[in-house]
Amino acid sequence: MGIGYEVSPLHRIAYLDTAAMERQQMAAPTPKNDAGEQYVLDLLTGFPGAGTGGKPKVIIGAPVFRYPAADTVIPWRDQLAAKYRGQLGEALTWDEGSDFEDGDDVATGADVMLRYVTALVDEGGPAALARLVGAERPAQADLERALTRAEQRGYTGHYPQLLLVEQYWLPFHRDMIIEEPDWEGHPCRFGSVGNLLREVTEVRALIRRADPKVVRWTANDDAPEHVLDAAWQASETVYRLARLAVAHHLPLWCTT
């Protein structure tokens, strides 16, 4: 299971359309096994699930996706640009009609380790990484404690784009985070993709200095067991895609 990072216009974001799948469900015949017993097909895998007790809830077919319309995203972006023009010092814009798209998946555990390592550096400086050389993944309580303290430090920390933003980074230069509803009205944080690139570049340099062996890990390897190796692996993907987002002046977003 992983987290997908994507560089693209926002109208290319795919959402699982559960309403359309429910309509498929209502129109579909009830499947039965060889013994004539009704069963449920799992939403994503398509494999039989638990028995239905005579009242089947049938979900069949491939997942159905929906996409935000560009003519919904553009007015939302323009309203955001007008509201924050003074704070940003620039016009917030990108080519929502672009057909550029690139992305990759990061192992969920590796992505968490990148944020964990960043949180420790944020709190204790580069010396904190010396204690992580060869260390295996922390206990859940230690992980949650480090990330909670990072959230409490808020924007006073050195790495807010990595530690406070989870899903969207937009192409603006000011090192700030915009807290506003997205184009569908959901509360969200929007960071700066250029400053995300700066932060991940700095964290990568510190990891490599603490343990030069980490460079042997690539995005295509199995998730490594050691903290710095896993953090480096995740940083490879985030760094590559953040560079592309800056070069193409497009948003970077991820599935969380």
Side-chain angles (χ1 to χ4, degrees):
M1 184 175 181
I3 295 174
Y5 283 85
E6 300 282 339
V7 178
S8 76
L10 295 179
H11 75 271
R12 290 179 175 266
I13 296 176
Y15 298 95
L16 188 65
D17 192 337
T18 54
M21 297 185 75
E22 287 289 330
R23 289 193 294 272
Q24 278 190 353
Q25 164 196 320
M26 298 302 294
T30 303
K32 296 182 180 180
N33 61 19
D34 292 341
E37 298 169 333
Q38 297 172 339
Y39 63 84
V40 180
L41 293 183
D42 182 83
L43 176 64
L44 295 179
T45 67
F47 292 110
T52 62
K55 295 183 179 179
K57 181 177 177 63
V58 183
I59 302 175
I60 67 167
V64 178
F65 295 99
R66 63 179 178 83
Y67 300 83
D71 59 7
T72 298
V73 173
I74 292 172
W76 166 84
R77 180 200 63 193
D78 292 346
Q79 289 175 7
L80 209 63
K83 182 175 180 178
Y84 287 91
R85 177 66 182 261
Q87 291 172 258
L88 293 175
E90 63 181 297
L92 175 60
T93 188
W94 60 85
D95 182 7
E96 189 59 31
S98 171
D99 60 1
F100 182 85
E101 186 172 8
D102 197 348
D104 206 347
D105 289 344
V106 174
T108 302
D111 190 78
V112 172
M113 287 304 101
L114 174 59
R115 295 171 191 271
Y116 172 70
V117 167
T118 302
L120 294 185
V121 174
D122 192 45
E123 185 172 39
L129 295 189
R131 298 188 293 273
L132 293 178
V133 176
E136 295 187 356
R137 300 185 181 218
Q140 186 66 24
D142 294 334
L143 174 63
E144 292 177 358
R145 189 178 304 112
L147 296 178
T148 297
R149 288 199 296 260
E151 180 73 25
Q152 291 170 343
R153 286 191 298 275
Y155 217 84
T156 64
H158 297 291
Y159 305 105
Q161 305 293 336
L162 270 168
L163 293 174
L164 302 181
V165 182
E166 295 183 349
Q167 195 165 10
Y168 301 107
W169 295 267
L170 304 179
F172 58 82
H173 296 91
R174 184 75 179 271
D175 188 8
M176 64 179 285
I177 294 171
I178 295 173
E179 296 194 35
E180 290 284 347
D182 65 13
W183 49 94
E184 295 194 333
H186 306 301
C188 206
R189 288 177 176 173
F190 300 91
S192 159
V193 71
N195 286 288
L196 173 67
L197 176 59
R198 175 183 55 79
E199 290 181 11
V200 76
T201 300
E202 182 176 326
V203 171
R204 280 166 59 83
L206 294 173
I207 294 173
R208 187 170 51 238
R209 189 180 308 158
D211 186 3
K213 298 189 301 298
V214 296
V215 299
R216 71 182 184 273
W217 295 106
T218 71
N220 295 322
D221 287 325
D222 292 335
E225 293 298 322
H226 295 140
V227 171
L228 292 183
D229 292 333
W232 179 266
Q233 184 191 64
S235 78
E236 292 271 80
T237 294
V238 177
Y239 174 71
R240 181 182 77 82
L241 292 174
R243 287 185 64 189
L244 279 175
V246 169
H248 290 269
H249 198 73
L250 285 170
L252 171 65
W253 53 276
C254 72
T255 58
T256 57

